[in-house]
Amino acid sequence: MSSLPDSPRRTALDATHRALGATMTDFAGWDMPLRYGSEREEHTAVRTRAGLFDLSHMGEITLTGPQAAEALDFALVGNLSSVAVGRARYTMICDADGGILDDLIVYRLADQTYLVVANASNAQVVLDALTERAAGFEVSVRDDRDAYALLAVQGPEAPGILKSLTDADLDGLKYYAGLPGTVAGVPALIARTGYTGEDGFELFVAPGDAEPLWQALTAAGEQVGLIPCGLACRDTLRLEAGMPLYGHELTTSTTPFDAGLGRVVKFEKTTNEGRFVGREPLAAAAERAEQAPPRKLVGLIATGRRVPRAGFSVVAADGTVIGEVTSGAPSPTLGKPIAIAYVDAAHAAPGTEGVAVDIRGTHEPYEVVALPFYKRQR
């Protein structure tokens, strides 16, 4: 799966992307498709029909053993021992000070087997941290990044496309659940997860099966308008859906409570006598967030046309800096520029007036709104 050590790694679908004329980009050390044509068209396809993504840059780590659940309960902020076999959970791994090292999805594949999926940029950090934290538990931690390719079909037509290629019970597959099955003759872990705000599936397969599966999905989706989609539209889709991105909304200098995601921290764990890495600082962060949070994560919608970018200052009517944009882009669905930002709590209520973004010296007015910007009709 990898090319030369000092060049970006290539996924099993690299030749397919190039044959499709994709614009490639180096992302977290991987050569990945940014777009195939118009990123607006790709975005709209996912919202209204379906899009096909290569996500093989994500980092898979498998934990197996009698104490796999206890090891994860200690290493992560979530209560993974309570996850049923066949289900998945969104969680985080924090450092000893409560700062976020990464956000994760963890699948319980069997009673003693878990699959941890990390962001590409943090996969090695997560692997190292899990290996260190699992010491003393009866569990093995295995780097499975080369064992999987990951394809995603996202959008309202995704269930129909996948049903035409598998006998797996997709109707019974809940959101944040996964089951082993066969798709187009290819063995796969079929997960009802995604990063777009739409219904859809992520398919974990052997790298050698990625290309035939991609072609089968493309053919099955042709009649309903499925198209290949790159990382650019994946970013605008997740932004509209209010989903955080590591390195933007989530960093080692923020806790889950700072990001408005304190719900993922489970203090009531019964394993390890309730101990887990970062517990005390996170308890203090929880109390701080409840009493008087210094800043909150909010949505901003432009009244004009200028697009904010990460790092731009958010200002009050008098020009005082009250926050910072973490992500910003034009929203194809709303037809306006949008942003996610950390702002002082006094200016964080939806409808707060006088808020602007400093875009290269000009204070562009923005409306404060609650996240997400977009929520699909279920």
Side-chain angles (χ1 to χ4, degrees):
M1 280 181 67
S2 60
S3 53
L4 295 173
D6 57 351
S7 61
R9 300 182 72 186
R10 297 185 174 188
T11 76
L13 289 162
D14 183 74
T16 303
H17 302 318
R18 294 175 193 278
L20 290 168
T23 299
M24 306 296 287
T25 188
D26 184 344
F27 182 80
W30 289 82
D31 213 11
M32 297 296 294
L34 185 65
R35 67 179 71 82
Y36 297 85
S38 159
E39 58 195 69
R40 177 179 288 271
E41 182 183 340
E42 292 171 21
H43 179 111
T44 302
V46 176
R47 285 279 179 258
T48 60
R49 305 185 306 276
L52 178 59
F53 296 84
D54 177 12
L55 306 179
S56 302
H57 60 310
M58 301 295 280
E60 294 87 5
I61 303 159
T62 302
L63 280 81
T64 305
Q67 291 189 305
E70 290 86 345
L72 284 171
D73 279 352
F74 175 70
L76 310 181
V77 301
N79 189 358
L80 283 307
S81 58
S82 69
V83 178
V85 173
R87 299 306 303 267
R89 184 157 297 169
Y90 175 78
T91 187
M92 295 182 185
I93 182 168
C94 291
D95 61 25
D97 296 324
I100 302 168
L101 291 174
D102 201 13
D103 61 335
L104 313 164
I105 295 180
V106 179
Y107 299 86
R108 191 167 196 171
L109 303 183
D111 186 51
Q112 298 185 7
T113 305
Y114 290 80
L115 177 66
V116 177
V117 182
N119 286 295
S121 57
N122 296 326
Q124 190 63 48
V125 170
V126 174
L127 175 65
D128 292 345
L130 287 176
T131 302
E132 180 184 340
R133 296 175 188 187
F137 291 93
E138 198 175 341
V139 63
S140 68
V141 180
R142 187 175 69 236
D143 180 0
D144 271 347
R145 284 176 286 180
D146 287 339
Y148 290 103
L150 178 57
L151 282 65
V153 186
Q154 299 281 301
E157 298 287 352
I161 293 168
L162 206 56
K163 278 181 186 178
S164 72
L165 297 173
T166 183
D167 291 332
D169 179 18
L170 299 186
D171 290 334
L173 187 63
K174 297 178 180 178
Y175 187 50
Y176 266 71
L179 81 167
T182 302
V183 182
V186 169
L189 170 64
I190 305 168
R192 200 162 205 154
T193 47
Y195 194 51
T196 63
E198 297 298 335
D199 191 11
F201 303 87
E202 296 183 323
L203 307 172
F204 295 82
V205 300
D209 290 332
E211 198 275 338
L213 180 57
W214 178 280
Q215 300 301 344
L217 289 164
T218 298
E222 186 176 5
Q223 293 301 313
V224 292
L226 173 140
I227 61 173
C229 295
L231 293 181
C233 83
R234 181 170 151 90
D235 189 51
T236 52
L237 289 160
R238 72 91 194 167
L239 180 54
E240 288 183 350
M243 295 177 169
L245 176 64
Y246 195 87
H248 291 254
E249 289 73 42
L250 310 177
T251 67
T252 52
S253 61
T254 57
T255 73
F257 296 95
D258 296 326
L261 293 167
R263 65 182 180 276
V264 307
V265 182
K266 305 300 182 183
F267 294 110
E268 70 281 8
K269 303 183 197 189
T270 56
T271 54
N272 311 311
E273 299 177 335
R275 293 182 301 110
F276 61 92
V277 177
R279 181 187 175 99
E280 287 72 23
L282 287 169
E287 188 175 347
R288 201 163 53 241
E290 193 172 329
Q291 292 177 353
R295 285 190 169 183
K296 290 187 176 182
L297 202 60
V298 302
L300 300 173
I301 299 180
T303 56
R305 308 302 305 171
R306 298 186 72 188
V307 179
R309 298 297 183 192
F312 285 11
S313 295
V314 181
V315 296
D318 63 359
T320 304
V321 174
I322 58 168
E324 183 177 299
V325 171
T326 53
S327 297
S331 165
T333 305
L334 277 62
K336 300 176 181 179
I338 59 173
I340 297 177
Y342 280 106
V343 302
D344 293 347
H347 299 271
T352 300
E353 297 182 354
V355 172
V357 176
D358 186 339
I359 302 181
R360 298 181 180 87
T362 302
H363 292 181
E364 298 284 341
Y366 270 74
E367 177 188 357
V368 178
V369 299
L371 293 169
F373 301 97
Y374 166 86
K375 197 167 187 179
R376 72 180 175 93
Q377 301 298 311
R378 296 183 184 272

